[in-house]
Each structure stands twice: as structure tokens, then as C-alpha cells.
Amino acid sequence: MTDASLLEGLVAHIADLRAVRPVGRVSRADGAALHIAGLTGDASIGDGLQVYRKRGAHLRGEVVQIVGDTLVMLAEAPPEGVSLNDRVTLLSAPVIAPSPAWLGRIIDPAGKPLDGKPLLRGALARRLLCPPPHAAQRRPFGPRLSTGLAVTNTMLPLVKGQRMGLFAGSGVGKSSLLGQFARHMNADIVVIAMIGERGRELRHFVDEVLGAEGLSRAVVVAATSDQSPLLRRRCAWTAMAVAEHFRDAGQSVLFLADSITRFAEAHREVAVAAGEAPVLRGFPPSTTHLITSLCERAGPGMGTQGDITALFSVLVAGSDMDEPIADILRGVLDGHIVLDRTIAERGRFPAVDVLRSVSRSLPAAATARENALLGMTRKMLSLYDANAMMIRAGLYTHGSDPEIDKAIQLYPEIDVFLAKQEADDPQRSFSQLELILRRAGLSVS
């Protein structure tokens, strides 16, 4: 970072300081919600508040409801020590001011460093909730990206500006797959939102999964599972605002969110405190707009802007692909990758279930010959899957159906191919796939 950039950030920080702020008082404490009197003429929904407790550190929170002449504040920490008539000051709505100096750093949803080193804000502050690029002015998808994995180089290609869902249960390799994308996928900048993650897993992901090389071009925004739902929800918005900062500078950004399920769960806690009813199988009605508005901010940019290629992970309990969060995401994204527990249990990673996954960048992302190869491979996998129970039980007799014979011959090789990593060139991956099919007597003209 240049001296000029450091100076700009320092000047912006000083300019943001306020000598005078409106003051109110705590009028009621109702569980995690605090009622504040005296600020309704100045505050808006989403503004920050700070309570000066008589015992303990100052308590920050957010305005989630305005009722008559009272604000309802949800605190970022347990409200122990809060008393009636405690002084409350109004803060501005949360903003973030990213900078190229943030690369290689771990920050919280407020833009404060979590890695123990100083971090200066950038010169330009951004709101956390920004509209997406104008729909009629966005560019179409860009070229196909190298992902470092054979399965996403061929069967499930990703293109610049595409938004994909990653659906998985716990413990099937979701975080490892995201780390693989962060290390090897073509992008100038990687922004990672770790929403509601376990504290131990944050360090493990950064040190072991992402590694020093992956972190060098990344910004990690983290809110751990023990933190307030306000912070866990804000984590996704902060990360997206950071990605938009680099996109607006003309760079290609890879955005990874882990996970949208915990983002929605945090929103549920906030929305219920604000008076919404949890009617959508336990989620409030605003959940759909919450998720779709976040996803729409990713994708191709306009004019000289770059692109945000995004992967949003979803925790699918019991492989229920029709649960609300998965269902909402499937409808708004450009495809989804499903990780299957049975595949992981037999030791194939990434445990991608190709037949249940889809990339909507196809067929445009591949040539006619490549699409023919993909169609033939899917057909063989589907044939094997449809007859798998009979084959494994020894009830199928070789020679009964020539196509099933080919599917049985091909399945082990295709299974090994789908697990290949560090396949940097998609064209090379397609050549390997074609060679596998030719060995079984299948060819593409």
C-alpha cells in the first residue's frame, strides 16, 4: 500500500469521527431486545446504537423496529448489566471501506482485523446493502474458468460471472472444496464469508485449507457461531461489499460464502425480534428477498466493472433438497453442485453427485464436441446408477445389454477421473475424458 493510500485512509477515518451524537435512554429491557426512548426523530431501521452500561463495556446494537416514540434495539452481545435510563448514543448505519491492503487479512463484519495486526480503512466507504448492477446493462457470462478440479472443468463448468450453489450435509468435504476453489480458480481477488463458523474451524480453514498462497490474494470476513445474529447476518453483507469494491475497480472476484443456511438462520433471529412471524417452515417471509438480493449482487458487472463469480454453500440436513433455503437458492442461481454423503463415505473426494448437479452455463460454455462428450458421460453414469442395485447384488448377467456392459466398464475410470485435482487446463481435462470413453469403444465424431 502506498503512502498516499495510507494518508487517504487516515483522512477518511478522521473525517468520519463525530464530536456530537444524539442521545437517548433505555426505557425497557425485554430479553435480548432493548427499548430506547428519545431517538425516534433521528434514527432509522438499521442504524447502530451504543449503550453505556453502568457495569461492563459499552454495548452495541442495531435498530430493528420503531414503535411509536420508541426504538427496539437488538444487541450484539448479551445485555447483562443494562439498567433503565442508561445513556444510548446514535451511530451511523454500518459501512465498510475496503482497501487493497486488506488482501491476506482476516476481518470481522465491521472491518476490524481479527489477526492481531493493525488495519487501516480505505478512502471510500460503502454501504453494506447496495443494489445490484442494472439488469439491462449487465454483461453476459464471460469465458470458462479453470477450477483446479476435473469435475468442474468438464461436467459442471464454471464461467466468469456465474453464481453456483454448493449443497452438502456436514462432514462431506464442503469446506475443502471451497478451499480448492480459493487456491486454484482463475480470479484476481478471492473474498470469503465465513458465516457462523466454529472458532476452531476458522484458523484451520485459513492455515490448512486455504494456505499461505491462497490467503495472499484473499480477504476473509468471519463471524463465529457464538456471536450475535446481527454480526452473523452482517458478515455476508460485508463480504459482498468488499467483493463489489474490487469488482468496481475492474477486477475479477471469486466470492465464497459458507454458509447461506447460517446467514438465513441469523436473519430469522433478527426478524423474529423485529416482529416477523416464522411462517416459511420456521423462517420469516423476508428470507426469500434476503437471499435473492444477496445473490443478485454477484454476477457480471457493467461497463468497465469486473465480475463476481460466486459460490454459495448450503447445509442440507438429511439430503433434503426441498428445504426452504436450498429451494430458494436453486431458483435464483445459475446451477448447483450437490455433495453426496455416500460418495464421501466410500472415499471419493470431492464427493460430487454429477447426476443431481447442474451448471446452467452449459451448453454455451462448451463446444459441440465437448457437449457430446458430456452427454455421453452422463448417459453412462445414469445407466450405471439406474442398475446399480442389480449390479452390486450380482443379479445382472454380463452380455444382457451392451450399453449397460459399457457403463459397468466405464464407471470405475470415470469415478477416478471425477476425483482428479489440480487439473489446471479444462481442455486437458476434456482430452482425458475423451480417452476414457474411447477405451470403452465410445467415440465422438
Side-chain angles (χ1 to χ4, degrees):
M1 192 174 185
T2 64
D3 291 342
S5 299
L6 285 169
L7 182 60
E8 286 178 359
L10 183 59
V11 169
H13 177 72
I14 293 171
D16 196 45
L17 298 176
R18 295 288 181 270
V20 178
R21 294 186 185 275
V23 176
R25 299 284 173 176
V26 175
S27 62
R28 176 182 166 191
D30 186 6
L34 301 177
H35 294 245
I36 312 300
L39 287 173
T40 50
D42 300 290
S44 304
I45 297 291
D47 282 352
L49 296 171
Q50 182 163 279
V51 180
Y52 293 83
R53 292 184 282 193
K54 295 181 179 68
R55 300 192 308 274
H58 303 328
L59 180 66
R60 288 196 172 219
E62 183 178 305
V63 179
V64 296
Q65 196 176 10
I66 301 175
V67 183
D69 59 355
T70 302
L71 304 178
V72 179
M73 164 189 165
L74 191 62
E76 293 180 0
E80 281 81 2
V82 173
S83 305
L84 290 180
N85 293 317
D86 277 352
R87 188 163 54 96
V88 182
T89 57
L90 178 66
L91 309 175
S92 57
V95 295
I96 198 80
S99 159
W102 289 18
L103 293 178
R105 304 298 302 275
I106 308 169
I107 64 171
D108 69 8
K112 302 293 191 296
L114 293 175
D115 50 13
K117 296 178 286 186
L119 181 69
L120 193 62
R121 55 164 285 170
L124 180 63
R126 307 181 66 95
R127 292 187 295 118
L128 298 189
L129 295 175
C130 294
H134 195 283
Q137 298 175 23
R138 300 183 88 157
R139 294 190 301 275
F141 283 154
R144 188 167 65 199
L145 297 172
S146 173
T147 63
L149 294 166
V151 63
T152 46
N153 277 351
T154 54
M155 305 300 296
L156 301 166
L158 287 154
V159 298
K160 187 178 286 189
Q162 188 171 357
R163 301 163 305 174
M164 289 281 279
L166 179 59
F167 298 167
S170 57
V172 296
K174 171 174 52 65
S175 295
S176 297
L177 182 55
L178 290 175
Q180 180 77 14
F181 285 135
R183 292 194 307 272
H184 296 286
M185 198 161 166
N186 282 355
D188 299 321
I189 306 291
V190 181
V191 179
I192 304 169
M194 301 192 71
I195 307 161
E197 190 59 84
R198 291 164 290 181
R200 179 189 63 81
E201 289 296 322
L202 171 60
R203 197 72 253 177
H204 170 76
F205 181 85
V206 170
D207 293 343
E208 305 298 330
V209 179
L210 193 58
E213 184 179 353
L215 183 62
S216 65
R217 61 169 186 160
V219 179
V220 179
V221 185
T224 53
S225 58
D226 62 313
Q227 291 184 292
S228 156
L230 288 172
L231 296 175
R232 285 182 273 129
R233 185 178 67 165
R234 197 180 301 159
C235 179
W237 292 336
T238 296
M240 185 60 77
V242 173
E244 288 170 332
H245 170 82
F246 291 108
R247 177 205 64 195
D248 291 350
Q251 294 178 295
S252 175
V253 182
L254 174 61
F255 178 85
L256 306 175
D258 186 18
S259 71
I260 295 301
T261 303
R262 291 191 289 257
F263 173 57
E265 289 170 349
H267 173 71
R268 175 172 58 192
E269 294 183 53
V270 177
V272 169
E276 277 197 75
V279 296
L280 185 65
R281 287 177 63 179
F283 289 94
S286 58
T287 302
T288 300
H289 181 260
L290 172 90
I291 292 173
T292 55
S293 60
L294 178 72
C295 294
E296 281 298 326
R297 292 168 66 181
M302 307 181 300
T304 59
Q305 291 179 342
D307 302 272
I308 300 175
T309 306
L311 281 103
F312 301 93
S313 78
V314 181
L315 287 167
V316 183
S319 300
D320 181 10
M321 294 292 291
D322 294 321
E323 62 91 21
I325 307 307
D327 197 42
I328 293 167
L329 273 170
R330 271 206 316 275
V332 73
L333 296 180
D334 309 310
H336 54 271
I337 298 170
V338 178
L339 301 186
D340 187 82
R341 188 172 301 281
T342 58
I343 296 175
E345 285 172 348
R346 61 180 172 81
R348 195 252 277 170
F349 293 97
V352 177
D353 187 336
V354 172
L355 296 178
R356 295 171 64 201
S357 305
V358 64
S359 173
R360 291 181 181 149
S361 63
L362 287 174
T367 65
R369 184 180 184 83
E370 289 169 346
N371 279 312
L373 282 170
L374 297 180
M376 196 176 296
T377 305
R378 277 188 175 270
K379 179 182 177 182
M380 291 295 105
L381 288 173
S382 183
L383 266 173
Y384 184 91
D385 185 68
N387 296 278
M389 187 176 295
M390 189 168 58
I391 294 166
R392 289 167 186 159
L395 300 176
Y396 176 77
T397 304
H398 181 77
S400 301
D401 187 320
E403 287 202 323
I404 296 178
D405 291 343
K406 282 188 170 60
I408 295 171
Q409 178 187 348
L410 278 168
Y411 187 80
E413 284 198 78
I414 293 175
D415 198 53
V416 170
F417 171 79
L418 294 177
K420 282 193 173 181
Q421 301 186 16
E422 299 184 4
D424 293 328
D425 181 11
Q427 193 58 52
R428 182 181 173 190
S429 297
F430 271 107
S431 297
Q432 292 172 348
L433 182 60
E434 184 172 10
L435 184 61
I436 291 170
L437 295 176
R438 280 186 174 177
R439 283 200 293 263
L442 298 172
S443 62
V444 178
S445 57

